[in-house]
Amino acid sequence: MKTFITTIALFISLLSFAQETTHTLKVTVPNATSDKGEMVFALNTKETFMVAAPVQSAAIKIEDGVATVTFENVAPGEYAIIVLHDLNGNQRMDFKDGMPAENYNVSGGQMSFGPPVFGDAKFTLKEDTEMTIRL
């Protein structure tokens, strides 16, 4: 009986190790130009970046020029975040004369001419993390 209980306890502990650990990712944009509209956050993998639905997304109210989102249960790995100040609440980037009409940025903060590139925006999530992205 003692062996049976020990075996069951070992099995349960192995199951808990087999489950993948997830993390929390908190992202803050501290410099919105106004509280109008909302801040849209998109958490992407290389496979979803700029081509498919993000892994997680959220539209957050801006208060005093600041918007913060917390993504929970994020598996360890490489990600990139796209942030858009969606002034009119249509959940997409608007353009004027071929140029973005709303402020945006990506994790890593390296913006160049043309669309964002995953390689410039990527980061590795290994633990609970907080980051700031400025527009």
Side-chain angles (χ1 to χ4, degrees), residues 81-129:
I81 297 172
I82 302 171
V83 180
L84 168 69
H85 185 173
D86 186 13
L87 292 168
N88 59 7
N90 67 354
Q91 299 283 310
R92 63 184 179 90
M93 181 179 287
D94 295 315
F95 293 87
K96 182 177 181 181
D97 298 324
M99 298 297 292
E102 298 167 311
N103 289 330
Y104 75 99
N105 203 350
V106 296
S107 46
Q110 294 184 356
M111 295 299 294
S112 59
F113 292 103
V117 177
F118 180 81
D120 293 338
K122 73 179 179 179
F123 62 93
T124 302
L125 186 68
K126 299 178 186 176
E127 59 190 16
D128 290 352
T129 301

Side-chain angles (χ1 to χ4, degrees), residues 67-88:
T68 300
V69 68
T70 301
F71 294 112
E72 297 191 15
N73 301 315
V74 182
E78 282 191 340
Y79 296 94
I81 297 172
I82 302 171
V83 180
L84 168 69
H85 185 173
D86 186 13
L87 292 168
N88 59 7

